[in-house]
Amino acid sequence: VGILTSGGDCPGLNAVIRGAVLHGSRTGVEVVGIRDGWRGLLDADSAPLLRSDVRGIAGRGGTILGSSRTNPLDPTSGGVERILRAMDEMDVDGIIAVGGEGTLTVAEMLSRAGVKVIGVPKTIDNDISGTDYSFGFDTAVAVATEAIDRIRTTAESHRRCIVVEVMGRHVGWIALNAGVASGAHVALIPERPQSLETIAAWTTRVRDRGHAPIVVVSEGFRLEGAAEPHSHKGLDAFDRPRLGGIGELLAPMIEERTGIESRSTALGYLQRGGAPTSHDRVLATRLGIAAVRSAAAGDWGTMTSVSGTGIRNVPLADASERLNTVSDERYEEAEMLFG
Ligand code: F6P
């Protein structure tokens, strides 16, 4: 079975690979590593993975296989025929695709076209449906929480408002959880556009109590009335706008509206790099084992997913059906703490 990691990387990818290889080596399933996501599959760029290749990698960030945002369904890529030829050439029966919503949507389309695929959900954003959690998310929240704790002390020293921008293209789980964990005063998320007036009222209330307001904002947040999230960096390989920059946009607006000196910090790739938390290492290892088990059982077209504390298989289509957004209930619970 071939294994590839595709899309934006995330802490825990190496633990999945290790789990898959170790389980395969004990059960007679040979695991072949495919380089740079779908790009490597199109080019049959691969090498067998042995126990010795995965020694000690569960705690290492990134992915030993490399990743890319190549879209294999791009009309110029050669499509399904080229993939099936490449699989023949590499002598693999099926593919374990570890990726986020973009990768899993492609995996599902390939599966419908006759490619044997099993999906493993990964994302720091935690936006994939069909699974309770994705590995990478816990690490990203821990990194963001620690960063906000640090930002708070400098904000307090200068009585400044600091806007902290975190990742989260479509959903605000990182902003919400890191905001609650660090005691931030406002969390702005894609699911809930807010007006500048409301944000100014929250921050002013904090200042009036003698504190320095901390605003956490997801990169995909929109001000009320804005049609799209802020983007000024062009498009990615899937023609999606590259996000980032909303913090820099908001800070001067808040300053102008409230008179509170305001600054911004974007945490960016810090949230994706580095060692996974122990929670993510364990989850990722279990998903790697489960994916090889599913391949051996011939459960193609499925995704290994988390349900409560268990691992189960769901149809790949469940991953792309909708996004795992922040529910009204969760947001309102957090909103009680704002301002
Ligand atoms: O999907 C995870 C994510 O971190 C998103 O929050 C973000 O929009 C995207 O990756 C950015 O990734 P890249 O800059 O690698 O395209």
Side-chain angles (χ1 to χ4, degrees):
V1 63
I3 185 165
L4 61 84
T5 53
S6 165
D9 73 342
C10 113
L13 288 169
N14 285 325
V16 177
I17 298 165
R18 175 174 166 274
V21 171
L22 294 189
H23 185 71
S25 73
R26 290 272 159 86
T27 56
V29 177
E30 240 178 85
V31 180
V32 172
I34 298 170
R35 296 189 187 92
D36 303 339
W38 300 119
R39 200 279 306 156
L41 181 57
L42 290 165
D43 295 341
D45 184 3
S46 67
L49 285 172
L50 308 174
R51 275 191 80 101
S52 53
D53 296 317
V54 298
R55 185 179 305 129
I57 66 168
R60 217 194 289 162
T63 162
I64 59 164
L65 294 175
S67 188
S68 68
R69 288 209 188 269
T70 304
N71 180 359
L73 297 172
D74 186 304
T76 57
S77 79
V80 176
E81 258 86 274
R82 181 163 163 195
I83 289 174
L84 291 171
R85 265 201 317 274
M87 286 171 69
D88 253 4
E89 200 182 308
M90 295 184 288
D91 200 17
V92 298
D93 295 331
I95 303 294
I96 295 172
V98 191
E101 40 108 14
T103 300
L104 296 169
T105 303
V106 167
E108 205 262 323
M109 289 161 97
L110 290 176
S111 168
R112 272 194 277 125
V115 180
K116 292 177 174 169
V117 197
I118 287 163
V120 177
K122 69 90 228 192
T123 155
I124 62 164
D125 292 359
N126 202 34
D127 57 358
I128 301 172
S129 61
T131 185
D132 288 356
Y133 272 101
S134 300
F135 68 86
F137 172 61
D138 186 63
T139 307
V141 172
V143 169
T145 301
E146 205 220 314
I148 300 167
D149 286 347
R150 288 175 184 277
I151 282 166
R152 222 181 146 126
T153 62
T154 169
E156 289 284 350
S157 306
H158 296 270
R159 307 260 164 128
R160 285 174 177 153
C161 165
I162 301 195
V163 180
V164 186
E165 181 183 304
V166 297
M167 280 185 168
R169 166 172 287 276
H170 306 292
V171 307
W173 286 113
I174 298 178
L176 192 87
N177 280 17
V180 169
S182 62
H185 305 100
V186 180
L188 302 172
I189 65 173
E191 295 90 330
R192 290 289 191 123
Q194 298 286 0
S195 66
L196 185 57
E197 210 183 342
T198 307
I199 300 168
W202 279 323
T203 47
T204 303
R205 218 154 77 192
V206 178
R207 191 263 319 268
D208 291 350
R209 286 202 309 276
H211 297 298
I214 301 293
V215 177
V216 190
V217 61
S218 310
E219 58 179 359
F221 168 75
R222 280 179 294 129
L223 273 172
E224 233 168 56
E228 300 292 337
H230 175 67
S231 161
H232 62 285
K233 299 176 184 166
L235 303 177
D236 69 12
F238 288 84
D239 283 339
R240 301 180 313 179
R242 291 201 187 101
L243 301 182
I246 181 72
E248 265 182 54
L249 195 77
L250 274 181
M253 286 178 163
I254 295 173
E255 179 164 320
E256 202 192 310
R257 180 63 79 109
T258 62
I260 309 169
E261 185 185 358
S262 301
R263 300 286 163 87
S264 78
T265 299
L267 302 186
Y269 298 103
L270 278 175
Q271 298 156 92
R272 266 183 21 196
T277 58
S278 53
H279 174 275
D280 279 340
R281 296 181 201 192
V282 173
L283 178 55
T285 302
R286 293 177 73 202
L287 290 171
I289 292 169
V292 167
R293 203 178 273 149
S294 297
D299 286 338
W300 307 110
T302 63
M303 173 176 86
T304 55
S305 88
V306 182
S307 173
T309 55
I311 306 285
R312 65 179 177 137
N313 266 356
V314 297
L316 253 178
D318 285 12
S320 41
E321 201 167 68
R322 60 179 186 88
L323 283 168
N324 176 32
T325 50
V326 173
S327 65
D328 288 349
E329 194 191 345
R330 282 298 301 273
Y331 184 76
E332 277 144 28
E333 200 179 81
E335 203 179 19
M336 294 288 296
L337 310 169
F338 293 2

